[in-house]
Amino acid sequence: MEFTESQIQDILERYKKNIQYNRDRYHNVRKNDVEYQRKNRERAKKHYETHKDHKKEYYEKNKAELNMKQRYRYYKSKNDIEKYQEKFPDDYKRLVEIGFIN
């Protein structure tokens, strides 16, 4: 299916207007509606109950990598990345390999 340039621009414009309409509607109407808040909380609670095992499995599976990243962020916040490289050279290499550090 081929579109002309004007059709593409029209589609993009409608998409942007729809996004803006939904954003405005949420912030001005739905967010303050008590019934919407109640339903949203129920939905969130149900999602949490059905997916908490997945979150736990993800953490257990990636525990070492998550700890490496957190240690790196700590040393970065202290502006002491060289010390991190000295103390954890293997972790630093791994973070560079996975693309966490450029």
Side-chain angles (χ1 to χ4, degrees):
M1 189 170 191
E2 301 267 337
F3 293 109
T4 65
E5 189 63 33
S6 62
Q7 289 174 325
I8 293 172
Q9 292 302 321
D10 185 44
I11 291 169
L12 289 175
E13 192 62 35
R14 280 189 276 149
Y15 173 75
K16 289 177 186 178
K17 284 182 181 179
N18 188 28
I19 294 293
Q20 188 62 41
Y21 170 79
N22 289 334
R23 185 176 293 132
D24 291 342
R25 184 165 188 265
Y26 172 76
H27 287 291
N28 296 327
V29 177
R30 297 191 61 132
K31 182 170 72 171
N32 301 323
D33 182 27
V34 176
E35 185 64 22
Y36 175 77
Q37 290 176 348
R38 185 184 62 74
K39 285 181 180 179
N40 200 35
R41 286 187 184 125
E42 287 177 10
R43 182 195 54 78
K45 187 174 183 178
K46 182 179 176 185
H47 181 270
Y48 171 75
E49 291 296 327
T50 58
H51 291 87
K52 63 183 172 184
D53 293 333
H54 298 291
K55 194 73 167 169
K56 185 176 180 180
E57 289 171 13
Y58 175 82
Y59 176 74
E60 290 298 327
K61 182 179 173 185
N62 298 305
K63 189 184 233 180
E65 191 172 293
L66 293 170
N67 286 335
M68 281 190 288
K69 289 178 181 180
Q70 189 58 41
R71 272 196 304 265
Y72 176 78
R73 287 188 199 105
Y74 171 77
Y75 282 96
K76 186 177 178 182
S77 71
K78 301 293 182 186
N79 292 325
D80 206 1
I81 295 176
E82 293 81 21
K83 190 173 181 180
Y84 178 80
Q85 288 176 324
E86 292 171 8
K87 287 180 97 173
F88 309 104
D90 296 333
D91 291 353
Y92 186 82
K93 290 176 187 173
R94 176 72 180 126
L95 291 175
V96 170
E97 287 174 7
I98 63 173
F100 186 74
I101 303 171
N102 295 333

